[in-house]
């Protein structure tokens, strides 16, 4: 079991994950998920700025399905409960948050994307 209270374990695992070059989520990857192919219509109408902002937003997360959906730190299947922050779920195994609700603007319209994504290793910092 992964223990975030063990600073050395956390540093080593984060270093390992950064060196793995974990793939990041993107609009292109989102469109490969059947239930989101409808967004192609809005992407075709989107400004370059909207596309850039949406990709910047999604790059904070691991690609959907990475590690077969298992937690990137513990390598375990997780169960979740809703956290206090809107749209975030917390894992039962190590308490890390994952985001379920995502809001992006494409083609002048805001879209609510319901997809459970893990934060990318680039988003974590270990304080010394």
């Amino acid at each position: 079991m992964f223990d975030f209270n063990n600073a050395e374990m956390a540093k080593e695992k984060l270093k390992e994950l950064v060196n793995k070059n974990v793939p990041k989520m993107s609009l292109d990857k989102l469109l490969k998920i059947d239930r989101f192919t409808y967004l192609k219509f809005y992407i075709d109408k989107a400004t370059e700025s909207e596309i850039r902002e949406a990709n910047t937003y999604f790059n904070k997360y691991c690609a959907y399905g990475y590690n077969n959906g298992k937690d990137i730190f513990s390598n375990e299947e997780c169960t979740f409960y809703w956290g206090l922050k809107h749209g975030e779920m917390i894992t039962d195994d190590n308490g890390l948050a994952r985001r379920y609700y995502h809001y992006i603007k494409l083609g002048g319209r805001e879209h609510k994307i319901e997809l459970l994504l893990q934060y990318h290793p680039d988003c974590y910092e270990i304080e010394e």
Side-chain angles (χ1 to χ4, degrees):
M1 178 133 204
F2 188 80
D3 180 10
F4 277 103
N5 293 317
N6 181 331
E8 284 306 311
M9 180 185 276
K11 281 189 239 179
E12 284 303 312
K13 185 62 176 186
L14 188 55
K15 183 178 175 182
E16 174 189 320
L17 288 169
V18 168
N19 288 336
K20 269 186 166 180
N21 293 318
V22 174
K24 295 180 178 184
M25 190 61 183
S26 67
L27 280 175
D28 287 339
K29 290 177 178 136
L30 186 68
L31 289 175
K32 291 179 181 170
I33 302 170
D34 287 342
R35 67 180 189 252
F36 298 114
T37 56
Y38 75 92
L39 289 171
K40 176 81 170 97
F41 173 80
Y42 296 99
I43 290 172
D44 290 344
K45 296 179 181 298
T47 65
E48 287 181 27
S49 176
E50 287 175 331
I51 291 171
R52 186 174 46 257
E53 287 174 25
N55 275 316
T56 297
Y57 171 80
F58 279 123
N59 279 184
K60 296 185 298 187
Y61 303 97
C62 298
Y64 179 71
Y66 175 75
N67 201 30
N68 294 318
K70 293 179 183 175
D71 185 81
I72 59 173
F73 284 92
S74 68
N75 205 34
E76 295 178 7
E77 302 237 1
C78 300
T79 56
F80 302 91
Y81 60 91
W82 285 106
L84 295 176
K85 188 174 178 184
H86 175 71
E88 296 238 325
M89 298 185 89
I90 309 299
T91 62
D92 276 340
D93 72 329
N94 59 25
L96 285 179
R98 291 194 194 178
R99 179 152 291 276
Y100 184 75
Y101 295 137
H102 309 272
Y103 299 90
I104 59 172
K105 187 175 182 180
L106 294 171
R109 180 171 174 226
E110 185 173 77
H111 302 272
K112 180 180 180 182
I113 308 298
E114 296 183 16
L115 185 67
L116 190 60
L117 295 174
Q118 295 185 71
Y119 285 95
H120 193 274
D122 290 351
C123 294
Y124 294 99
E125 292 180 17
I126 308 278
E127 292 183 12
E128 299 287 332

